[in-house]
Amino acid sequence: MLKFTQNQLEFLLFVQSQDDWHCEAFVKVVQSQRNENFMPDKKLDEAEFEEMMEKLEAFSKEKICNLQTALNYLQSL
């Protein structure tokens, strides 16, 4: 099982909360948000960001959809 760090999870939560991204676009949207300064105190360093992207790119479309659902549930707590 792949795990995300707290910073990675917060990054993913923020990206998912911006819109209801289609699962096929989610990884590209996450990649595009890398240089945005929306969380200056939680900005991921290059190594942590690359690690997160490797995990996401290894996921099937179904796993990305499941991840997005989980992120939506976490956001609602």
Side-chain angles (χ1 to χ4, degrees), residues 1-5 8-17 20-23 26-27 30 52-75:
M1 174 163 66
L2 297 174
K3 296 181 182 181
F4 293 103
T5 66
Q8 291 169 336
L9 184 58
E10 289 175 4
F11 187 96
L12 293 171
L13 281 166
F14 180 83
V15 172
Q16 180 62 23
S17 72
D20 186 19
W21 307 109
H22 190 279
C23 61
F26 184 70
V27 175
V30 170
M52 178 184 69
M53 290 308 301
E54 286 176 14
K55 291 174 187 176
L56 290 176
E57 289 167 353
F59 283 3
S60 66
K61 183 171 68 170
E62 181 182 359
K63 284 188 177 188
I64 292 291
C65 291
N66 291 340
L67 172 63
Q68 289 179 278
T69 300
L71 292 168
N72 289 335
Y73 285 134
L74 283 173
Q75 192 71 28

Side-chain angles (χ1 to χ4, degrees), residues 40-51:
D41 59 329
K42 294 290 184 185
K43 195 161 188 162
L44 298 177
D45 65 31
E46 190 66 30
E48 194 171 17
F49 184 81
E50 290 302 321
E51 176 189 326

Side-chain angles (χ1 to χ4, degrees), residues 18-36:
Q18 299 307 300
D19 201 343
D20 186 19
W21 307 109
H22 190 279
C23 61
E24 291 178 351
F26 184 70
V27 175
K28 291 177 186 172
V29 172
V30 170
Q31 179 70 47
S32 73
Q33 295 294 311
R34 170 66 176 114
N35 295 321
E36 298 297 319

